[in-house]
Amino acid sequence: MPDKRWLGFLVALVVFAAVSFTVKNNVRNNPGLAFGQGETLESFTLPDTTGTPVELQAYIEAHELTWVNFWATWCGPCRQEMPLMAKLYEEHSADGFGIVAISVSEEPQTVKTYLNQNPVPFTILLDEDGSVSQRYRVQALPTSFLVDSTGQVLQTGVGFQQSWEYVVNQRMGDN
């Protein structure tokens, strides 16, 4: 009997892995985001961690290239992505690169506690009720948009993608 249980467990594990892989690829390849490549992001105003309102369009216009990222403190891939974002910001902010990371549906104190333990040099905004992420049709975290100074989407991404380092370095090298 133990052999049949292991076989059943193994089959269930393989099915789970196949379904997970398919769902992840579908989300990455067809995210259904509100804004795609070549479109212009809709602006919004959200508070930063100090409560100061920040308008996305004004932030974007002040930078040559902006990475707009939706994330959460509980999201493992988001936390994995943060050091890469910090590194790229430190390397390119003087050349006009900006990052706006929008915390989705979390209490401000949760985000502040996380940032006290894991500080980042870029702008964090609080989408406390998740309304902006809903308007952007963010279905998975992290979700990112790379935009030029007009807000035109140059690239989108769902999930942690190490390739953002290459993309940002390449685009910022075009100065």
Side-chain angles (χ1 to χ4, degrees):
M1 277 296 188
D3 291 335
K4 287 185 179 181
R5 287 186 199 159
W6 278 108
L7 182 59
F9 174 75
L10 185 58
V11 167
L13 184 62
V14 168
V15 168
F16 174 77
V19 169
S20 294
F21 178 78
T22 302
V23 168
K24 185 176 183 180
N25 274 344
N26 285 342
V27 168
R28 280 192 174 168
N29 295 327
N30 185 16
L33 297 170
F35 307 97
Q37 191 169 355
E39 297 178 321
T40 301
L41 287 186
E42 176 184 308
S43 190
F44 56 80
T45 300
L46 287 172
D48 66 14
T49 56
T50 67
T52 304
V54 175
E55 182 193 6
L56 180 66
Q57 190 60 36
Y59 186 92
I60 287 171
E61 288 173 359
H63 295 85
E64 181 180 326
L65 187 69
T66 302
W67 181 348
V68 179
N69 176 268
F70 290 85
W71 70 289
T73 62
W74 52 262
C75 168
C78 301
R79 294 190 327 218
Q80 186 180 9
E81 187 174 58
M82 286 286 183
L84 171 64
M85 294 169 71
K87 175 182 177 263
L88 290 171
Y89 182 82
E90 289 170 352
E91 290 173 358
H92 298 294
S93 63
D95 299 322
F97 177 62
I99 296 177
V100 175
I102 300 112
S103 170
V104 177
S105 301
E106 292 191 282
E107 294 291 325
Q109 192 54 52
T110 301
V111 177
K112 290 176 189 177
T113 299
Y114 175 81
L115 293 172
N116 283 338
Q117 297 168 358
N118 306 281
V120 295
F122 48 84
T123 302
I124 301 289
L125 301 181
L126 305 172
D127 183 16
E128 198 173 343
D129 65 1
S131 61
V132 171
S133 65
Q134 287 175 1
R135 282 200 330 250
Y136 273 56
R137 293 200 300 259
V138 171
Q139 298 174 9
L141 299 175
T143 292
S144 296
F145 299 87
L146 192 65
V147 299
D148 66 13
S149 62
T150 68
Q152 182 178 8
V153 177
L154 304 171
Q155 187 162 335
T156 63
V158 177
F160 171 53
Q161 298 173 24
Q162 188 70 38
S163 62
W164 282 105
E165 181 172 17
Y166 172 77
V167 171
V168 170
N169 284 333
Q170 181 185 33
R171 291 201 180 264
M172 290 309 296
D174 291 339
N175 289 339

